[in-house]
RNA sequence: UCCCCGAUAGCUCAAUGGUAGAGCAUGCGGCUGUUAACCGCAGGGUUGUAGGUUCGAGUCCUACUCGGGGAGCCA
C-alpha cells in the first residue's frame, strides 16, 4: 500500500511503500539511514542488515543522492526521524539513478545554485519557501473571492505602454507592429471593475528595467484588486485587511515552513489592522529628523521620490507595514486622483514592508473625470488616441474607484524572511539571467 | 548606466612574490542508531582570458570577460 510521508501516522505498525527521492544517506556498519523526501515531507528509512537480503543491503548503501526510490517497510513512531515516524525497510527499489548530483550537502554559491535552479528547488529551504509562496497566492485569491471580488484576467500582450515611460519588453505582433509585455493589468482591471464592481487580476508582469537589487525581477507576479465606489480611505482599509489576512493564513497553515526558514513569527503576529499611516510630507520630515541614521544617502527634498535607503529607515521606525500616502502627483502615474484641497499631491499610498523589503503594495484612487484624465495623459507626454478605450470608462457611467497591486515575490520575501527576492519564484528572471 | 568586491579541483574556500592545499562530492575500505554522521586510503588543477613587471607570478600592474553586493527605476 502506498503512503505519503505526511500521512504516515495512521499507518503506524503497518507496512507501507513510500515513493520519493533520496535526500541523504548515512551508513553505519550494519545500518543504513535513508532520508527519503516525497514532496509532502522527509522520512528516515532504516535498513538493518539482518532485515533484508545482502544484495538489498548493499544496494541501499550505494544509493546516489536524489535517486528516485520505492521503499517498503513497517511504519514506526520514532522521534529521531524528521516527521516523527520512520520506516523499517524490508524492500527497496531504485526507479531512477542519480549519479553525480551537483548540489551537495555543503555550501554553494549563488551563481551555481541559480544555474541549477531546476534542482535547487528540491532543497529543504527552497521547498519551504516555495510552499509559502503557494500559500500566499492561494490566501490572496481566496480572501478576495470571499469578499466578493471577481477574478478578471487581463492581457499579457498589450498594444501600448500602460504607464508610459518605464522600460517595456517588446515583441512584434504580426503586421500590427510592436506589442509589449504587460507591466500591469491595472488599466484593464478598471474596465472589469465597472462590469463587476470588485475585480482583481493575477498574473505575471514584466519590466525591462536594468535593476540589479535584491528587490527586483524582470518577470514577477502581481495581484491587482480594483473597486468601484471605493475612495482612498476605503482603499487603505481593504489593503490592510487583505495583507493581514494573508499573513495570518500563512502563520496558520505554513508555520512549520516559517520555522524551517528561521522566520521570527512574533513579528508576523503583529501584522493586524490598522497599519500606521504617514503622509509623504511627514516622511520627508522624519527622514530629516533621522538624517544621521541614513548611510550613503541624503534625506530627499520635497518632490523627490523616496529611495531604497529612505524606505528602509521609515520602515524601521515602525513595527508593522507602513502606509506612506499623498506623494507628489508629479512623480506618480498619470491616472492617480489629485487631493482636492492640495492638487499637487495624489490620493495614493505605498505600503512599505518592515525590514527593508520595500514597497509590497502600491495603490491609489483613480481619476474618474474624463477631462482631467485626458489632460493628465497629455501632460505625461502620452498619446490620447492610445487611451481611447480607457477614457471611455469615464465617459460611460464613471464612478469614484480605487485599487492597488501587490507584488507576490516581495510579499513572500518579507513574510518568509528571505533576503533576496530571487528565491521566492521557481525560476527567477533577472537582468542578464534567463537560464534555466 | 554608475560605485565597491571577487574569479584557484565538480562545489565551497585556503595558500609573505619562491614545490598547488583542505572540506564536501566521487571511488575503495571500516563501523548496529546516524541527524550536513564519523574514521582510513585514492583519483581529481594550463589558478577566468590576453598582455606586462620580475631570476621567479595563484599572488604585483593593465585591459577584457564573467559573477557577487549596492545605487537609480520600481512592485
Amino acid at each position: 500500500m502506498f503512503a505519503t510521508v505526511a500521512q504516515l501516522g495512521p499507518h503506524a505498525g503497518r507496512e507501507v511503500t513510500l515513493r520519493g527521492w533520496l535526500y541523504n544517506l548515512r551508513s553505519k556498519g550494519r545500518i543504513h539511514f535513508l532520508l527519503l523526501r516525497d514532496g509532502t515531507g522527509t522520512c528516515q528509512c532504516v535498513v538493518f542488515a539482518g532485515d533484508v537480503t545482502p544484495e538489498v543491503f548493499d544496494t541501499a548503501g550505494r544509493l546516489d543522492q536524489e535517486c528516485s526510490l520505492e521503499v517498503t517497510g513497517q511504519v514506526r513512531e520514532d522521534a529521531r526521524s524528521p516527521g516523527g515516524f520512520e520506516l523499517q525497510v524490508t524492500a527497496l527499489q531504485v526507479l531512477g539513478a542519480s549519479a553525480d548530483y551537483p548540489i551537495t550537502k555543503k555550501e554553494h554559491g549563488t551563481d551555481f545554485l541559480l544555474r541549477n535552479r531546476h534542482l535547487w528547488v528540491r532543497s529543504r529551504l527552497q521547498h519551504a519557501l516555495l510552499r509559502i509562496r503557494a500559500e500566499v497566492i492561494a490566501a490572496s485569491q481566496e480572501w478576495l473571492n470571499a469578499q466578493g471580488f471577481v477574478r478578471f484576467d487581463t492581457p499579457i500582450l498589450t498594444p501600448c505602454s500602460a504607464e508610459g515611460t518605464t522600460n517595456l519588453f517588446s515583441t512584434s505582433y504580426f503586421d500590427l507592429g510592436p506589442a509589449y509585455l504587460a507591466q500591469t493589468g491595472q488599466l484593464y482591471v478598471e474596465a472589469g471593475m465597472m462590469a463587476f464592481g470588485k475585480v482583481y487580476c493575477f498574473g505575471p508582469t514584466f519590466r525591462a528595467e536594468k535593476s540589479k537589487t535584491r528587490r527586483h525581477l524582470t518577470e514577477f507576479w502581481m495581484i491587482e484588486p480594483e473597486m468601484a465606489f471605493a475612495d482612498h480611505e476605503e482603499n487603505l482599509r481593504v489593503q490592510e485587511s487583505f495583507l493581514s489576512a494573508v499573513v495570518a493564513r500563512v502563520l496558520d497553515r505554513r508555520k512549520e515552513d516559517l520555522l524551517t526558514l528561521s522566520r521570527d513569527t512574533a513579528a508576523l503576529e503583529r501584522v493586524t489592522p490598522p497599519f500606521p499611516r504617514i503622509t509623504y510630507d511627514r516622511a520627508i520630515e522624519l527622514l530629516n529628523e533621522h538624517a544621521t541614521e541614513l548611510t550613503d544617502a541624503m534625506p530627499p527634498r520635497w518632490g523627490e521620490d523616496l529611495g531604497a535607503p529612505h524606505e528602509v529607515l521609515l520602515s524601521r521606525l515602525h513595527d508593522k507595514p507602513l502606509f506612506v500616502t499623498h506623494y507628489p502627483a508629479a512623480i506618480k502615474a498619470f491616472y492617480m486622483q489629485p487631493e482636492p484641497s492640495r492638487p499637487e499631491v495624489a490620493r495614493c499610498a505605498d505600503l512599505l514592508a518592515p525590514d527593508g523589503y520595500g514597497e509590497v503594495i502600491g495603490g491609489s484612487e483613480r481619476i474618474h473625470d474624463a477631462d482631467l484624465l485626458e489632460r493628465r495623459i497629455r501632460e505625461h507626454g502620452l498619446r490620447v488616441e492610445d487611451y481611447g478605450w480607457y477614457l471611455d470608462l469615464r465617459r460611460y457611467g464613471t464612478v469614484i474607484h480605487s485599487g492597488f497591486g501587490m507584488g507576490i515575490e516581495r510579499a513572500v520575501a518579507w513574510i518568509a524572511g528571505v533576503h533576496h527576492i530571487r528565491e521566492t519564484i521557481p525560476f527567477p528572471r533577472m537582468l542578464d539571467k534567463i537560464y534555466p
Side-chain angles (χ1 to χ4, degrees), chain A residues 61-76:
Chain A
R62 294 170 186 280
L63 293 172
D64 295 314
Q65 190 185 353
E66 286 302 321
C67 67
S68 47
L69 288 172
E70 267 185 27
V71 185
T72 302
Q74 195 170 51
V75 179
R76 215 173 43 192

Side-chain angles (χ1 to χ4, degrees), chain A residues 128 132 135 247-266 268-269:
Chain A
I132 289 169
E135 196 66 46
V247 169
R249 175 150 151 186
V250 173
L251 277 169
D252 179 42
R253 301 202 190 177
R254 305 275 23 125
K255 192 146 206 168
E256 204 174 308
D257 291 324
L258 290 170
L259 295 175
T260 296
L261 294 163
S262 305
R263 180 64 163 106
D264 169 20
T265 52
L268 294 177
E269 305 276 2

Side-chain angles (χ1 to χ4, degrees), chain A residues 52 94 106 127 136 178 190 212 243 245 247 266 296-297 300 306 323 325 351 365:
Chain A
V52 296
V94 176
K106 290 283 179 175
H127 192 263
V136 166
E190 285 182 60
K212 193 170 163 282
L243 189 58
V247 169
D296 305 324
L306 304 182
F323 282 119
T325 70
L351 183 61
E365 186 177 318

Side-chain angles (χ1 to χ4, degrees), chain A residues 2 13 17 46 57 60 65 78 80 133 193 228 247 262 304 384 416:
Chain A
F2 290 116
T17 298
V46 188
F57 186 77
Q65 190 185 353
D78 194 312
R80 291 170 293 190
R133 174 193 172 90
M193 166 274 297
V247 169
S262 305
E304 292 175 345
V384 174

Side-chain angles (χ1 to χ4, degrees), chain A residues 302 326-334 336 338 343-346 376 380:
Chain A
W302 200 96
H326 296 90
Y327 282 77
I331 56 171
K332 286 291 179 180
F334 70 87
M336 292 186 180
E344 74 275 17
V345 300
R376 280 298 158 86
H380 277 74

Side-chain angles (χ1 to χ4, degrees), chain A residues 11 19 29 41 49 62 108 286 296 327 330 336 367-368 426:
Chain A
H11 297 286
R19 294 178 290 192
R62 294 170 186 280
H108 297 283
L286 275 172
D296 305 324
Y327 282 77
M336 292 186 180
I367 293 176
H368 57 273

Side-chain angles (χ1 to χ4, degrees), chain A residues 108-426:
Chain A
H108 297 283
T110 302
D111 185 46
F112 175 80
L113 289 170
L114 286 173
R115 269 200 328 274
N116 289 285
R117 182 60 173 170
H118 53 299
L119 305 174
W120 190 22
V121 294
R122 303 182 187 192
S123 299
R124 197 168 130 262
L125 299 186
Q126 297 305 308
H127 192 263
L129 185 49
L130 292 175
R131 266 196 185 277
I132 289 169
R133 174 193 172 90
E135 196 66 46
V136 166
I137 290 170
S140 298
Q141 294 200 80
E142 286 168 29
W143 188 87
L144 290 170
N145 293 343
Q147 302 291 316
F149 285 76
V150 175
R151 176 163 166 159
F152 185 82
D153 293 314
T154 55
I156 289 170
L157 287 167
T158 59
C160 67
S161 153
E163 297 180 7
T165 53
T166 43
N167 298 319
L168 301 174
F169 287 104
S170 67
T171 183
S172 71
Y173 197 76
F174 303 113
D175 48 359
L176 294 179
Y180 303 94
L181 299 185
Q183 60 178 343
T184 172
Q186 192 219 299
L187 272 53
Y188 292 98
V189 99
E190 285 182 60
M193 166 274 297
M194 293 212 184
F196 296 93
K198 295 197 283 190
V199 296
Y200 67 96
C201 65
F202 175 56
T205 51
F206 307 87
R207 308 266 166 106
E209 293 157 0
K210 304 254 180 196
S211 303
K212 193 170 163 282
T213 80
R214 69 185 181 102
R215 299 179 309 280
H216 286 86
L217 298 169
T218 56
E219 178 181 316
F220 67 98
W221 288 62
M222 191 152 61
I223 192 156
E224 297 177 88
E226 192 75 23
M227 300 163 284
F229 310 110
D231 64 4
H232 175 67
E233 278 297 315
E234 173 72 7
N235 197 23
L236 298 194
R237 279 197 296 275
V238 172
Q239 288 175 46
E240 61 196 8
S241 301
F242 168 73
L243 189 58
S244 299
V246 170
V247 169
R249 175 150 151 186
V250 173
L251 277 169
D252 179 42
R253 301 202 190 177
R254 305 275 23 125
K255 192 146 206 168
E256 204 174 308
D257 291 324
L258 290 170
L259 295 175
T260 296
L261 294 163
S262 305
R263 180 64 163 106
D264 169 20
T265 52
L268 294 177
E269 305 276 2
R270 285 197 297 269
V271 180
T272 52
F275 295 168
R277 301 175 186 185
I278 59 172
T279 62
Y280 171 88
D281 294 352
R282 178 64 187 142
I284 300 290
E285 284 175 16
L286 275 172
L287 289 166
N288 276 289
E289 287 166 19
H290 293 81
T292 52
E293 296 161 45
L294 280 171
T295 49
D296 305 324
M298 298 289 290
R301 286 190 300 267
W302 200 96
E304 292 175 345
D305 209 351
L306 304 182
H310 307 132
E311 293 185 351
V312 170
L313 178 56
L314 289 172
S315 68
R316 291 228 169 104
L317 297 174
H318 302 82
D319 65 350
K320 282 187 189 185
L322 170 70
F323 282 119
V324 180
T325 70
H326 296 90
Y327 282 77
I331 56 171
K332 286 291 179 180
F334 70 87
Y335 49 70
M336 292 186 180
Q337 177 72 27
E339 183 63 44
S341 60
R342 275 186 75 196
E344 74 275 17
V345 300
R347 307 194 75 175
C348 66
D350 284 358
L351 183 61
L352 307 183
D355 309 318
Y357 286 95
E359 180 187 350
V360 288
I361 291 180
S364 68
E365 186 177 318
R366 323 303 191 189
I367 293 176
H368 57 273
D369 181 77
D371 293 337
L372 176 58
L373 183 60
E374 186 171 332
R375 201 154 68 239
R376 280 298 158 86
I377 289 171
R378 291 186 201 283
E379 283 168 7
H380 277 74
L382 304 171
R383 303 191 317 173
V384 174
E385 54 269 36
D386 288 341
Y387 294 89
W389 69 267
Y390 189 60
L391 284 162
D392 271 356
L393 302 178
R394 278 75 180 169
R395 293 185 182 118
Y396 302 109
T398 192
V399 294
I400 288 174
H401 63 287
S402 301
F404 62 94
M406 181 176 83
I408 294 293
E409 289 77 15
R410 283 194 185 170
V412 172
W414 160 58
I415 291 170
V418 298
H419 183 255
H420 203 297
I421 196 173
R422 64 188 159 214
E423 297 175 37
T424 63
I425 186 168

